[in-house]
Each structure stands twice: as C-alpha cells, then as structure tokens.
Amino acid sequence: MNTFIVFCLLTFCLCSAGTSFAFETKGKDCTTCHTLTTAEATDLIRGIAPDIKILEIRLSPSKPLWEVFAESRSRKMLLYVDLSKKYLISGSLYSLKDRRNLSQESFSALNKVDVSKIPLDDALVMGDTKARLRVIVFTDPD
Amino acid sequence: MKKILEERKDIVFHIKLYPLKQLHPEAYEKSKAIVCEKSLTLLEDAFEKKAIPKAKCETTAVDETILLAEKLGISSTPTSVLPDGRLVPGAVDAKTLLDMIGK
C-alpha cells in the first residue's frame, strides 16, 4: 500500500481527459491500473443525478478517490468516486495537516470565471483603483 | 477588506451589490439606493441595519448583477472573485483571502 501511495504521489496529476503521463524513473503511474472515463463516470452517477454532465476527472489529493467535476441542472459540483467505483461521496475533503478545504480549492480552480466580463461601472471601490490586483466582491446589503 | 487594504496597497476591491431577494426582501431596494449613490458609507449603514434612503435614480445595474451572478454560479454572499477568476464563496478571514490572492 505504501509503495502504491508513493507511486501515486510521484505521478499525481495529469490524469484528466484520458491522458496519463508516467514519470520514467519509476515507470509506474496509478492511472495505468486505474482509469475512470467520462462515459463511465456518467453511467455511474446517472442513477443518482440523471442529467449529470461530466466536465473533468482527475485523481483527488487523497489518492484512492477520483475527483469528478460535473454539472447538473446548471449547477456545477465536485464529487468523489472511489477507485472501486462502488461509492460516491458528495462533500468536502479537508487536509487535516494544513486545515484547508481542498474541495473548495479544487472547485474554485476548476470553476474560474472570466473577470473581464464583469462590468465594474456600478461597483463601489475600496482601495486604489490603479492597484495591480483587483478582487470583485458580490455582496448583499442585508 | 479594510484590514487587507492596510496591509496591501496593490489590492483594490470592487464591490457589486447582489441582493438575495428570497432571503432578504428589502435588499433589492437597498442595493439600488447604494448603487445610485456609489456610497460605501451607505453600504456600511445597511450592514449595521440602519435605515437607508430610497433609491434616488433609475438603474438596471442591480438586475444585471443578479443575472450575471446566477450565470457565473454565484449563489451565496459574500462571494469574492479573485484576480485570476477563482470564486471564493463566504466570508473568509483576511489571511485566508491573502493566501489565495498570493503575491
């Protein structure tokens, strides 16, 4: 099991869209023994969410889980499917060591918006308008 | 946000009024009033539950923000959009937001 985790750590990422790359030094990639295609994920999840549309699949930071980025009824979501493909988890994955919500971070990274498409003429400004980094905050006044 | 601005002069916040009408029936009118005046003071008054005057202009900006937010999948407030387009839902502390914004 430990060896497996080491392999996976070395070869993590780049598992999306059916592509897999192995580091030649180790010559083994966890995606060589495990795969999850978009069509397969659709079949697996359709029973729970009939209109599911899979957008992206990759191994989650917790190795024995696939991280599935999907959309259902125009809501985007992050789901997890275990490597046995028998179980689905809908919830947040946290790193206990770093106290970070990894699901939230992945979701944000996958669900980026085009900031140039957000009009700012009606926005209230806090700080120097010429500042290098612009953060747009959507807020309710109540 | 004030705390972040004290620390980092290279960050600016643009605040868009996005009333969650179902949750807060009065938020829509308040949002319009704040957008008309473009006033941070009014926004702070609203946060503090002080009464704020009715909108002094006709504006569709708030309706447009509601449509845009829904399209972008923003369903809770506050939601921050980072410079690279990442969405951060919910009120997060200054350190977390700074870590996410990066240098």
Side-chain angles (χ1 to χ4, degrees):
Chain A
M1 190 59 191
N2 278 341
T3 333
F4 172 74
I5 291 171
V6 170
F7 279 140
C8 287
L9 281 172
L10 285 164
T11 55
F12 169 62
C13 85
L14 302 167
C15 299
S16 60
T19 338
S20 65
F21 298 90
F23 284 81
E24 285 181 8
T25 44
K26 284 289 169 187
K28 194 156 169 73
D29 178 342
C30 35
T31 58
T32 58
C33 22
H34 295 278
T35 57
L36 181 65
T37 64
T38 302
E40 234 180 328
T42 310
D43 279 346
L44 288 170
I45 303 169
R46 205 152 42 193
I48 291 175
D51 59 348
I52 198 80
K53 185 180 161 208
I54 307 297
L55 304 170
E56 193 160 338
I57 299 170
R58 59 187 184 189
L59 267 185
S60 84
S62 140
K63 299 300 177 281
L65 292 176
W66 290 104
E67 190 177 81
V68 180
F69 183 51
E71 187 179 328
S72 175
R73 288 171 203 169
S74 74
R75 273 189 88 88
K76 291 192 177 140
M77 62 186 84
L78 204 63
L79 300 165
Y80 296 92
V81 174
D82 79 313
L83 291 188
S84 78
K85 299 176 190 174
K86 286 182 181 155
Y87 302 98
L88 176 117
I89 301 167
S90 160
S92 284
L93 183 73
Y94 287 83
S95 161
L96 291 171
K97 186 172 150 274
D98 306 326
R99 297 189 187 178
R100 280 165 39 206
N101 183 338
L102 301 177
S103 302
Q104 183 56 61
E105 288 175 21
S106 283
F107 186 78
S108 303
L110 289 161
N111 191 34
K112 279 189 189 177
V113 305
D114 182 351
V115 288
S116 69
K117 297 243 166 77
I118 304 177
L120 294 176
D121 34 313
D122 61 305
L124 277 56
V125 179
M126 264 181 92
D128 177 4
T129 45
K130 290 191 201 80
R132 186 171 59 93
L133 298 164
R134 181 192 297 143
V135 178
I136 304 165
V137 183
F138 285 75
T139 194
D140 184 301
D142 268 333
Chain B
M1 287 191 271
K2 280 178 187 161
K3 203 173 156 194
I4 291 178
L5 291 172
E6 274 168 28
E7 248 180 78
R8 292 279 297 268
K9 301 293 170 205
D10 58 343
I11 294 175
V12 59
F13 289 99
H14 286 258
I15 304 164
K16 289 193 58 93
L17 273 295
Y18 174 36
L20 301 171
K21 286 198 238 179
Q22 271 104 7
L23 280 178
H24 306 122
E26 290 161 27
Y28 178 68
E29 272 309 311
K30 288 185 191 171
S31 296
K32 273 185 151 183
I34 296 164
V35 168
C36 282
E37 305 297 318
K38 275 208 183 183
S39 160
L40 284 170
T41 319
L42 270 190
L43 178 61
E44 278 172 29
D45 286 351
F47 284 151
E48 286 164 17
K49 304 282 170 217
K50 287 186 196 160
I52 62 167
K54 279 205 173 345
K56 290 198 182 95
C57 71
E58 280 304 316
T59 173
T60 56
V62 175
D63 302 84
E64 281 158 26
T65 301
I66 294 172
L67 287 176
L68 175 70
E70 284 168 359
K71 206 177 104 202
L72 298 176
I74 298 173
S75 52
S76 61
T77 60
T79 289
S80 309
V81 185
L82 302 185
D84 67 355
R86 277 177 296 159
L87 295 177
V88 187
V92 291
D93 60 84
K95 191 190 168 295
T96 308
L97 199 62
L98 281 174
D99 283 348
M100 292 191 81
I101 296 170
K103 292 286 168 205

